């Protein structure tokens, strides 16, 4: 019955001939383990193809959605981590197997006539594979891939003549952006697979035409089926096993979302391009083109011409040279790669940069997972950009800590132009309590010793004077005033000072009386208890609220803020230095209005890496 069906099918399709071609190919000298690399490569490519298509069903190629979709695949989708892990490590396996395959081919002399053309097909496959890695690395649109790819295209752009044109076409403009991502994606899932299949068909067809290169003293012959097929299958299964192990144990990494504006990311290419990168360093400066063009170009040229050396030199000598060349190539690249890793490990600025990058990664993964956070609809780039703890802290470090401190952290040396308060937990209950209990504590003292000889108002130590002359020692009184002042920061932005002062309930608020009696000799708060004196202290209306802080940071010279100081004594205004988002992030940071960092979290429930606070 089955046999009949087989005959029927064969008479329609001729499949038996194909099977015969595929499986009964004779192998002179018999099946061997060392012939498995080519098949293992094809097998790994199949894994890449299948996992790649699966990834395509969930990946979304645009600069605002790419990171989010990869995050979703990795941490939310059923088996997404596994599929992506296989694909991630599969790409590295391809590079390694390619190297092994190439070394084996050269050792066996299989690059020589009549197989020259097949060697060249192999070279084409090598370039396509590297192209896959390069384009694929950018697709998650995370910091690591973004900067690595930038380094790589920078190298390519140095190619004489066509370099800049290539760069422009591939990058899709002058700088990296959405166009770059869509172009790389097009190359990765359209152009390169087509090329690879094309070259692979040519490669295998030619391989079948010439057969394996048997060792000189090989005897007898064996058919492809079953032994070699078995070896090849085992090799592919082993590769799959190793990939699955890495996917499970390590997981494909995902760095913080790409931030084209970041200036301190320690950019490094993927490890298999690292040797080239290291080589570049050696030719830094005027001879850079030697590292980017001459050396790689010469290597490729020698590889291409290798089969032809047989015609010029004695065959055995040519083979010997070819082996030496490939060995020194692999050895040299290996050496440079190790050197690159070692140099980085010893370089404090790289280590520090890496630590910052890892912190950002941790933060991004935590925010993406958090219920209150999540990936903003405007794109994953805003995940950290809209995070007070990341963006606000960065602004604080850039612009504020020259005078202020944050939890004691400061860049203000002993000769800082001015000294402001510690800004952590600004105007919170505890902060106000500490301040009123001891305004002369170093944390709170504002000194203004600017230009020598410049006269400084005595008003600056107003609160210290207040403490000396009166102060509040009584615990109950202190509780009352702290409560009253802390609530000033909760006054909504649309309430005017008149409306607030006219509210009949205000007088009943806890601490009202003490506030009016103690504070309004110097401070103002609308018309409350106004003594009609010259204003010599900031207004306390809505003190510590977002709107108060915005004014204070943008224009401290505004009336009701620090207008009573001379300009050289006053904090400079930042109105034209901060974007609205930056200002908001700083204010929310000062007001502790952000999602805290847990001691420990996993980006995904149950499985995968655990991130700890430090
Ligand atoms: C050149 C030094 C200097 C820099 C830079 C500076 N400040 Fe100030 N800041 C001061 C001084 C001094 C005061 C005290 C009030 C005054 O003299 O204007 C102050 C006051 C403040 C206050 C009011 C509460 C308080 O501590 O008295 C806030 C809030 C504040 N600064 C936030 C910031 C922020 C946010 C930045 C960065 C964007 C910043 N400051 C940058 C010197 C500085
Ligand atoms: C003797 C006058 C005087 C009295 C009384 C006084 N203050 Fe002040 N206060 C000042 C001056 C001057 C400053 C600005 C310089 C400084 O920060 O030391 C100031 C600053 C402050 C600040 C910091 C403002 C900022 O920019 O962050 C707070 C808060 C504050 N006072 C609260 C109070 C409270 C509450 C009372 C009543 C219990 C009070 N003050 C009583 C003179 C006074």
């Amino acid at each position: 019955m089955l046999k009949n069906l087989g005959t029927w099918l064969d008479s329609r399709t001729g499949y038996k001939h194909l099977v015969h071609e595929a499986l009964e190919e004779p192998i002179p000298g018999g099946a061997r383990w060392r012939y498995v690399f080519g098949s293992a490569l094809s097998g790994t490519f199949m894994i890449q193809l299948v996992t790649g298509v699966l990834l395509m069903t969930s990946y979304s190629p645009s600069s605002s959605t790419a990171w989010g979709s990869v995050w979703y695949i990795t941490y939310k989708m059923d088996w997404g981590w596994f599929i992506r892990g296989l694909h991630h490590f599969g790409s590295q396996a391809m590079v390694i197997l390619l190297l092994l395959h190439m070394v084996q081919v050269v050792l066996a002399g299989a690059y020589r006539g009549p197989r020259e053309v097949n060697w060249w097909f192999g070279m084409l496959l090598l370039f396509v594979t590297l192209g896959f890695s390069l384009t694929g690395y950018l697709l998650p649109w995370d910091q690591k891939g973004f900067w690595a790819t930038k380094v790589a295209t920078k190298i390519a752009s140095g190619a004489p003549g066509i370099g800049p044109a290539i760069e422009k076409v591939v990058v899709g403009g002058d700088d990296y952006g959405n166009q770059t991502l869509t172009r790389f994606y097009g190359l990765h899932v359209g152009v390169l697979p087509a090329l690879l299949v094309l070259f692979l068909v040519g490669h295998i067809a030619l391989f079948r035409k010439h057969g394996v290169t048997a060792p000189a003293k090989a005897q007898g012959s064996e058919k492809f089926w079953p032994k070699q097929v078995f070896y090849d299958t085992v090799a592919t299964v082993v590769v799959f096993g190793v990939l699955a192990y890495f996917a499970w144990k390590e997981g494909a990494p995902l760095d913080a979302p790409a931030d084209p504006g970041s200036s301190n990311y320690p950019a490094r290419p993927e490890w298999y391009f690292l040797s080239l990168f290291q080589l570049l360093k050696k030719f830094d400066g005027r001879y850079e083109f030697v590292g980017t063009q001459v050396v790689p170009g010469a290597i490729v040229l020698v590889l291409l011409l290798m089969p032809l050396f047989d015609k010029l030199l004695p065959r055995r000598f040519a083979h010997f040279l070819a082996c030496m060349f490939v060995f020194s190539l692999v050895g040299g690249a290996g050496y440079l790669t190790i050197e690159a890793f070692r140099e980085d490990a010893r370089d404090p600025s790289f280590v520090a940069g890496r630590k910052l990058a890892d912190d950002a990664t941790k933060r991004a993964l935590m925010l993406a997972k958090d219920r209150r956070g999540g990936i903003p609809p405007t794109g994953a780039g805003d995940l950290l950009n809209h995070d007070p703890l990341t963006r606000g802290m960065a602004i604080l470090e850039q612009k504020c800590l020259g005078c202020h401190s944050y939890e004691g952290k400061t860049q203000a040396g002993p000769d800082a132009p001015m000294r402001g308060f510690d800004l952590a937990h600004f105007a919170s209950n505890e902060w106000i309590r500490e301040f009123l209990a001891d305004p002369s504590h170093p944390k709170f003292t504002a000194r203004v010793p600017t230009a020598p000889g410049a006269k400084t108002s005595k008003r600056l130590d107003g609160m210290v004077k207040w403490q000396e002359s009166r102060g509040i020692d009584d615990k109950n009184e202190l509780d009352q005033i702290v409560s009253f002042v802390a609530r000033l920061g909760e006054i909504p932005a649309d309430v005017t000072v008149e409306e607030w002062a006219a509210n009949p309930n205000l007088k009943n608020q806890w601490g009202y009386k003490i506030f009016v009696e103690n504070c309004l000799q110097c401070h103002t708060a609308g018309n409350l208890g106004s003594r009609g004196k010259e204003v010599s202290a900031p207004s306390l209306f809505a003190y510590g609220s977002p709107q108060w802080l915005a004014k204070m940071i943008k224009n401290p010279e505004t009336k009701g803020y620090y207008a009573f100081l001379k300009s050289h004594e006053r904090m400079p205004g930042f109105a034209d230095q901060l974007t609205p988002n930056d200002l908001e992030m700083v204010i929310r940071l000062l007001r502790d209005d952000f999602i805290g960092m847990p001691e420990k979290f996993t980006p995904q429930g149950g499985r995968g890496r655990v991130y700890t606070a430090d």
Side-chain angles (χ1 to χ4, degrees), residues 67 71 254-257 355-370 372-375 380 383-393 585 588-589 592-599 601 603 611-613:
W67 192 92
W71 176 81
L254 181 63
D255 235 46
K355 166 96 172 66
L356 281 181
D358 289 340
D359 286 349
T361 299
K362 221 186 317 185
R363 182 71 184 157
L365 292 178
M366 185 259 145
L367 285 175
K369 188 191 176 193
D370 197 278
R372 296 156 295 170
I375 299 169
L383 198 57
L384 294 180
N385 222 4
H386 290 177
D387 173 34
L389 205 53
T390 309
R391 186 65 196 159
M393 194 61 95
M585 289 309 113
R588 286 182 49 194
L589 176 69
D592 287 340
D593 177 13
F594 53 78
I595 301 170
M597 200 63 196
E599 275 296 298
F601 81 101
Y611 290 85
T612 45

Side-chain angles (χ1 to χ4, degrees), residues 280-302:
L280 266 187
K281 283 205 228 156
K282 300 201 182 298
F283 290 102
D284 214 7
R286 212 144 67 85
Y287 295 106
E288 200 175 284
F289 74 99
V290 177
T292 49
Q293 316 302 328
V294 179
V295 175
I299 291 173
V300 170
L301 197 68
V302 171

Side-chain angles (χ1 to χ4, degrees), residues 421 426 431 435-436 459-463 466 472 481 485 515 518-519 521-523 536-538 540 543 548 552 562 564:
F421 295 2
F426 181 75
W431 190 93
F435 177 52
L436 292 180
R459 289 167 184 153
L460 266 175
D461 36 17
M463 291 304 284
W466 165 77
I472 295 183
I481 195 95
V485 175
F515 176 74
N518 277 279
C519 315
Q521 296 142 13
C522 309
H523 291 281
S536 59
L540 292 177
Y543 173 75
W548 185 92
M552 172 69 212
Y562 281 86
F564 62 94

